[in-house]
Structures are given as structure tokens and as C-alpha cells.
Amino acid sequence: MEVFESIKSLQQSLSAIGQNLTIGLVPTMGALHEGHLSIVRKAQGETDRVIVSIFVNPTQFDKKEDLVNYPNTLDADLEVLKSIGCDYVFTPNIQEVYQGKTRSESFDFKGLDQVMEGKFRTGHFDGVATIVKKLFNITKPDKAYFGEKDFQQLLIIKKMVALEFIPIDIVSVGIYREDDGLAMSSRNTRLSQEQRLAAPEIYQTLLKSKKLFQNGDLAKVKSFVKNEFIQNTELNLEYYEIADSETLKSAKEILADRKYRAFIAVFADKVRLIDNIALN
Ligand code: PAF
């Protein structure tokens, strides 16, 4: 496994890869867990060489506190990536990537960024798309892999690639969960023991809401979810939304030919957790 901090040295090494070999990119912010590894393994199964980038991107954080507290486990990350046979790791610093201009580009995501995560985290998706576009330009992969836990991010990146005519296949990878159902996230390590014990309630509630959704009464599903969290002393509901899986528009009624997903964001004190589930 080769590790690069500079764009130039990474690109030099990548240029030695034969033209007929395909490259898969897995962008991450480090603090790797099994969820990330499942994405890397998928990339390894579908492409000839895999690059994992590790970069905590400042422009996508709306709260400085979140950025400062973001876990840094670089040594352990490199070790685990080596153990699973990753080919290249790109670990640039901020200067290397942003060249003194740590600002987001502004994108028109056609409304995908106006709801849920975009509504509650101002500028977040411009920051995500800015760094992902830079990583695409730097590494020029054939395919890039993103987890479905950040389903809205996945759609935003697909939209960015379409708007910018970027010839990269965006591949989605299903949510990887702990045995008790909690979606894997780097933030889970910041949960207290009590919060960690309470956290599986998020997925349990999504599952129950999926069952209720079959009855077709959206208002009932939403009020059920609200009530579940009113009774929970460790978790505070930020939003629960039922949205069209393609447009992310809030569902007003259930149309037979559309696919819907439930999205949830919950606070365990200051730790923000998100999850989602396909409803039909
Ligand atoms: O999902 C993430 O970890 C980040 O948003 C990403 C895609 C690596 C961009 O910084």
C-alpha cells in the first residue's frame, strides 16, 4: 500500500497504472470503521486499483465544534487499510487541497440541498461537492463509492457529476449496521455508555415507521415517530421526513409509481446521528 500526502506524488504513481486497469475511489474523512471497510471491499471487487482518500474537509462543517472534535485515527486507519489490501491512500493537508482558498464552490443542486441535512446544516453540501469534485479531478477514477447512510449526499454527488459532465460512475453501498441495528458512524465513538445503549432506538423506530407506512397515513407515521422520541431521555429528534427517493421532496401523498424513503436525524446531547430506510 502506498500513502501520499501530495497531489503530485499521487498522480505520478497513478500515471504508472496501465490504461486498461480501472480505478475506484473511496472518499472518507478517516476514523474508519467496518462501514467504510465494506465500501472499500466493494470497490476492490469492482475495480483493479483502489484509492482511499482521508481528508477532514473543513468547508462542509457548519459547526466549528464538530470539525474540532472530529476523531483523528490516522495511524489505525492506515493499518486497517493495509490489512485489507488497499492500494493507495491519499492523505493531503488543507493547503494541498485548497491552495490557500478554503472556500466552497456554489452549486445548483436543483433543490436536493434545500431539505433535511441541507436545511439543518447550512452550506454543508456545497462543501461536500467542492471537496468531492476536487478529489475526482485529482484522482480521475472510473468509479467512486459512497455509503447510503448519507443518502442525500449520495444524490447530491450524482447530481454534481451530471451537472458538471464528470465521467465517473457513482456507486452506492448499503448501510452497514452494528449487531443492534445502529448505523455505523465515526460519531458513534463520541457517545456515552447511556447514549450508546439508547441509540439503536433510531433504527428500531425507522423499522416501525416502515411498517406503519404500509397503512398509507403519513401524518400518523410522523406523529408516531415524534412520540417515540418525546419518551426518550437520551435522544432528541431533529427531524423525521418521508421523502421521494429521487427528488427528496417531502411526500404529501403516496403515489403507487414512486419510491419513498424515511430519513431521520437525532441528537444524543451534542452528537448528531442520521439514518434512513427504504419504505417501499
Ligand atoms: O461522507 C463523508 O465522509 C464525506 O462527506 C466525504 C464524502 C468524504 C467528503 O468529505
Side-chain angles (χ1 to χ4, degrees), residues 27-29 36 55 57 60 70 128 131-132 146 150 153 157:
T28 81
M29 297 207 295
H36 292 110
F55 178 68
N57 173 38
Q60 71 187 74
Y70 206 84
V128 169
I131 185 62
V132 171
F146 296 88
D150 298 295
Q153 166 173 285
I157 289 163

Side-chain angles (χ1 to χ4, degrees), residues 144-168:
Y145 294 79
F146 296 88
E148 285 185 0
K149 183 171 77 68
D150 298 295
F151 193 86
Q152 191 173 6
Q153 166 173 285
L154 177 68
L155 292 195
I156 294 259
I157 289 163
K158 284 186 176 167
K159 177 64 76 188
M160 186 267 283
V161 161
L163 291 172
E164 306 267 330
F165 309 106
I166 298 174
I168 296 174

Side-chain angles (χ1 to χ4, degrees), residues 116-117 120 152 237-241 263-265 272 274:
M116 300 185 291
E117 292 304 284
F120 286 92
Q152 191 173 6
L237 181 67
E238 184 177 43
Y239 67 75
Y240 169 85
E241 188 60 88
F263 296 85
I264 195 166
R272 191 167 179 280
I274 60 170

Side-chain angles (χ1 to χ4, degrees), residues 5-22:
E5 288 176 12
S6 88
I7 295 172
K8 202 168 164 201
S9 57
L10 171 72
Q11 287 181 332
Q12 258 164 12
S13 198
L14 294 180
S15 67
I17 298 177
Q19 289 283 321
N20 52 345
L21 296 184
T22 54

